[in-house]
Amino acid sequence: MVRTDFNSSARLIQRFLRLQSRGVSLKTTMETLEFHERGNMKEKVHHMRMLLESGTELSQVFSVIVTNKQMQEMLHTADQSGRFIDGLSQVVQVLEMRQRGKNELKRLIRYPLLIFFILLLLGMIYALYIFPKLMGMVDLSSHSGVATVLLSRWFFPILFCTFFTVGVILYGLHRRGTELPFYIWKRGKTLYMTYLFVSELSLLQKTETNIRQIISRLSDEEGEMAELAKRIHQRMSDGKSIEDATKSEPFIDYEVVSLLGVGAMSGELGELMSLHRELVFEEMEQYIRSLIEKVEPALYGVLSMMIAVLFYTLYLPVKLIMAQL
């Protein structure tokens, strides 16, 4: 999978939407975007223009810069329902939200992580060059447990190598474009899945007449949302109501379950889903901010523990030497 810069992709999509809102043709839009881009993005836009001129669906064209599978599914649904611009607008909102969260997280963890690895490095130097001289004056045969582990000359080197290896592996996965989880806890996954589900329902509402047809249409697609819709459709075919069929899904928010029943009865499902989609998006933003706010004190808590361990290992040999005098 090609690694995509969320910021560059979002900026390109915004320009595309702005030109389309002014009535510029698709061909002229892609030519204009290609003319103004540079480097890697210029090559991607050129590839997109070639795909468009060959008659490829718009959802496939934009999969060049939108590599997230769930976002690709949303674009495909929007394209099939004739509302590609609406779907693309939702995708760019998610990309921008992810980029804001990513930038804020980087800002918070950059210096704490740097301090953390400096402390590990200092501990390793201390363990390899100072410990041996101090240990020559200490009898460790009478000691066991945590003290023995902390006084081992390989404690800090092994700890440093472990963290360094994990960091290299994560960075390598990131460079290869491997999608790391967008959510961390169950609530985050519930909000994300609910947003995708509600978005696709709102995109299909104008092409189908009732909720059963909408779910059936969505189940005919491919991807994670299609599999979810198939399960709901099967339960509805078994005689369950739309509320009961949706309630069985563990990652669909309970508010959507109630709104589906109301929308199916009133015939205003599309409007309700569109409104709720905005509410879920706002809640996702708040959830991400709350996670980021928890990261900073957690990092400083780890740093505090690391400093305490380091100073204790500095003090422990001196304490043992004084006890033997």
Side-chain angles (χ1 to χ4, degrees):
M1 183 182 292
V2 181
R3 182 176 177 268
T4 302
D5 186 342
F6 288 140
N7 195 29
S8 299
S9 300
R11 187 182 68 249
L12 180 66
I13 294 172
Q14 286 176 336
R15 290 176 176 175
F16 175 85
L17 292 172
R18 190 159 55 244
L19 290 171
Q20 286 295 288
S21 67
R22 296 173 181 174
V24 182
S25 67
L26 282 173
K27 184 176 184 298
T28 304
T29 296
M30 298 307 292
E31 290 174 348
T32 303
L33 293 175
E34 182 181 357
F35 179 77
H36 288 284
E37 291 295 334
R38 295 292 183 271
N40 188 38
M41 285 303 295
K42 188 178 184 70
E43 296 178 3
K44 291 180 180 180
V45 177
H46 176 74
H47 181 45
M48 292 169 66
R49 185 170 67 82
M50 293 295 100
L51 290 174
L52 183 66
E53 292 178 355
S54 66
T56 306
E57 293 180 348
L58 280 172
S59 58
Q60 293 297 318
V61 171
F62 276 85
S63 66
V64 174
I65 59 172
V66 180
T67 57
N68 181 270
K69 291 183 179 180
Q70 289 87 5
M71 296 297 103
Q72 289 178 350
E73 293 170 20
M74 187 186 297
L75 289 180
H76 179 71
T77 301
D79 199 11
Q80 294 298 311
S81 62
R83 301 180 62 189
F84 183 77
I85 297 299
D86 291 342
L88 194 60
S89 299
Q90 295 175 38
V91 167
V92 75
Q93 281 186 330
V94 175
L95 290 178
E96 289 176 340
M97 179 182 65
R98 294 179 66 168
Q99 186 62 38
R100 287 194 298 270
K102 185 178 179 181
N103 290 340
E104 183 66 18
L105 187 62
K106 280 183 177 180
R107 185 186 68 81
L108 286 176
I109 70 174
R110 183 182 300 135
Y111 294 112
L113 283 180
L114 181 61
I115 295 171
F116 180 74
F117 277 101
I118 289 175
L119 288 174
L120 282 176
L121 183 60
L122 288 174
M124 182 173 68
I125 293 172
Y126 177 75
L128 292 177
Y129 295 101
I130 301 177
F131 258 28
K133 295 180 180 180
L134 293 176
M135 291 302 98
M137 297 182 288
V138 177
D139 181 16
L140 291 178
S141 60
S142 59
H143 298 278
S144 62
V146 177
T148 303
V149 174
L150 292 176
L151 291 174
S152 170
R153 63 181 299 179
W154 300 111
F155 174 71
F156 278 102
I158 291 175
L159 194 62
F160 178 84
C161 292
T162 300
F163 280 102
F164 182 77
T165 302
V166 171
V168 169
I169 292 173
L170 291 177
Y171 182 74
L173 292 174
H174 178 66
R175 291 292 299 176
R176 287 202 298 268
T178 303
E179 283 292 333
L180 298 179
F182 177 62
Y183 39 79
I184 299 177
W185 294 319
K186 183 177 180 179
R187 182 58 183 166
K189 182 173 182 178
T190 299
L191 289 172
Y192 187 50
M193 296 292 288
T194 299
Y195 178 80
L196 296 176
F197 182 63
V198 168
S199 297
E200 300 214 20
L201 289 183
S202 65
L203 290 171
L204 288 171
Q205 170 63 16
K206 291 187 177 180
T207 62
E208 305 295 344
T209 57
N210 58 56
I211 184 63
R212 182 177 290 274
Q213 289 178 337
I214 294 173
I215 296 297
S216 177
R217 171 73 181 276
L218 183 58
S219 66
D220 291 335
E221 305 294 338
E222 295 181 357
E224 194 170 3
M225 285 299 102
E227 293 299 322
L228 185 149
K230 287 177 184 177
R231 295 193 295 269
I232 295 176
H233 186 263
Q234 182 60 47
R235 296 186 193 109
M236 293 175 67
S237 299
D238 293 338
K240 290 187 177 181
S241 63
I242 179 63
E243 295 97 327
D244 292 335
T246 310
K247 192 184 300 182
S248 301
E249 290 298 325
F251 295 113
I252 298 297
D253 194 66
Y254 64 91
E255 292 181 1
V256 175
V257 176
S258 302
L259 289 176
L260 285 174
V262 174
M265 294 293 293
S266 64
E268 298 179 351
L269 180 64
E271 296 182 9
L272 286 174
M273 292 297 101
S274 296
L275 291 172
H276 192 64
R277 180 188 65 205
E278 301 303 323
L279 294 175
V280 174
F281 184 81
E282 291 178 4
E283 193 170 351
M284 277 200 301
E285 287 188 309
Q286 293 175 359
Y287 179 77
I288 290 175
R289 283 196 296 267
S290 67
L291 283 182
I292 292 174
E293 289 173 357
K294 293 174 183 177
V295 167
E296 188 172 17
L299 283 175
Y300 284 110
V302 172
L303 283 177
S304 299
M305 292 178 59
M306 188 66 194
I307 292 173
V309 170
L310 182 60
F311 274 97
Y312 185 70
T313 53
L314 292 173
Y315 165 73
L316 191 57
V318 177
K319 177 184 176 182
L320 295 176
I321 291 172
M322 294 178 64
Q324 292 177 184
L325 292 178

